[in-house]
Amino acid sequence: MTEHLLSTPSQTVGPYLHIGLTWPDGAFAAPVGTAGAVWIRGEVFDGAGELITDALVETWQVDHTAFAEPDRSRSVRAGFGRSDTRDGGYAIHTVVPLELPARGTAVQAPHLDVSIFARGLLHRVVTRIYFPEFDSANAADPVLNSIESARRERLLARRVGDGYVFDIHLQGELETVFFDV
């Protein structure tokens, strides 16, 4: 006789992510003084357009060699940053990544991979941040081109003084594009 097992029920992530998942230099995917480093800043909003102050934003990128870091002992997490939103927004200090190979001869435009953890979510949501100065690379990116054209701009960061702004909307009219990974 085969016994039918039920799955364990899910519970939401958060809301106390900053207690155990952040570390003092977690926002520094690129150390201070890294040539060409920029800040990626933004806010996270719920479906009603309200600011979420207990979310966690992670960014990561493939090109570890982009960091001019003399202490290679940190290279294990080079390119990985984590910031919570308890001060109203997130901030990650990193470098703009390089293009990456895709299937066949295709190339992915420079982008950051992003995970968002927040109250009310059963699982993290995943998106990407693309950069506006790479028009031709963005136009040829196979992932960006898989999204309906009216929504593609929701994956483009906005250039500001010392970096970029990328706000994340979990639901609603301005919902960020998320990927099922």
Side-chain angles (χ1 to χ4, degrees):
M1 179 165 120
T2 306
E3 187 177 329
H4 180 69
L5 301 175
L6 300 174
S7 23
T8 304
S10 295
Q11 61 185 33
T12 62
V13 295
Y16 305 107
L17 300 165
H18 62 274
I19 292 173
L21 295 179
T22 58
W23 61 92
D25 66 342
F28 292 90
V32 173
T34 300
V38 295
W39 281 100
I40 308 289
R41 293 183 177 96
E43 298 172 324
V44 180
F45 298 93
D46 66 15
E50 298 293 322
L51 191 64
I52 297 175
T53 58
D54 56 1
L56 185 76
V57 176
E58 289 182 348
T59 64
W60 68 100
Q61 61 200 58
V62 173
D63 187 18
H64 301 299
T65 63
F67 301 108
E69 184 176 328
D71 178 10
R72 301 310 295 170
S73 65
R74 288 185 47 184
S75 66
V76 175
R77 69 174 186 85
F80 176 79
R82 182 181 277 170
S83 176
D84 63 51
T85 61
R86 67 183 133 172
D87 292 330
Y90 71 93
I92 304 285
H93 188 259
T94 191
V95 295
V96 175
L98 304 173
E99 292 181 340
L100 294 170
R103 289 188 179 156
T105 59
V107 175
Q108 294 184 47
H111 68 275
L112 293 174
D113 294 310
V114 182
S115 284
I116 300 96
F117 302 85
R119 62 180 149 80
L121 296 177
L122 294 177
H123 304 283
R124 70 184 172 130
V125 290
V126 176
T127 191
R128 285 182 166 190
I129 300 173
Y130 287 88
F131 300 92
E133 63 269 26
F134 299 104
D135 287 332
S136 59
N138 289 342
D141 184 275
V143 175
L144 201 52
N145 282 307
S146 72
I147 300 162
E148 63 187 79
S149 59
R151 297 186 72 210
R152 287 182 200 150
E153 69 182 40
R154 296 182 195 170
L155 294 179
L156 287 176
R158 190 176 74 243
R159 185 78 163 122
V160 295
D162 63 350
Y164 298 86
V165 171
F166 185 78
D167 291 331
I168 299 164
H169 296 264
L170 296 180
Q171 292 179 321
E173 187 177 314
L174 299 174
E175 181 178 337
T176 300
V177 175
F178 298 108
F179 299 99
D180 186 12
V181 295

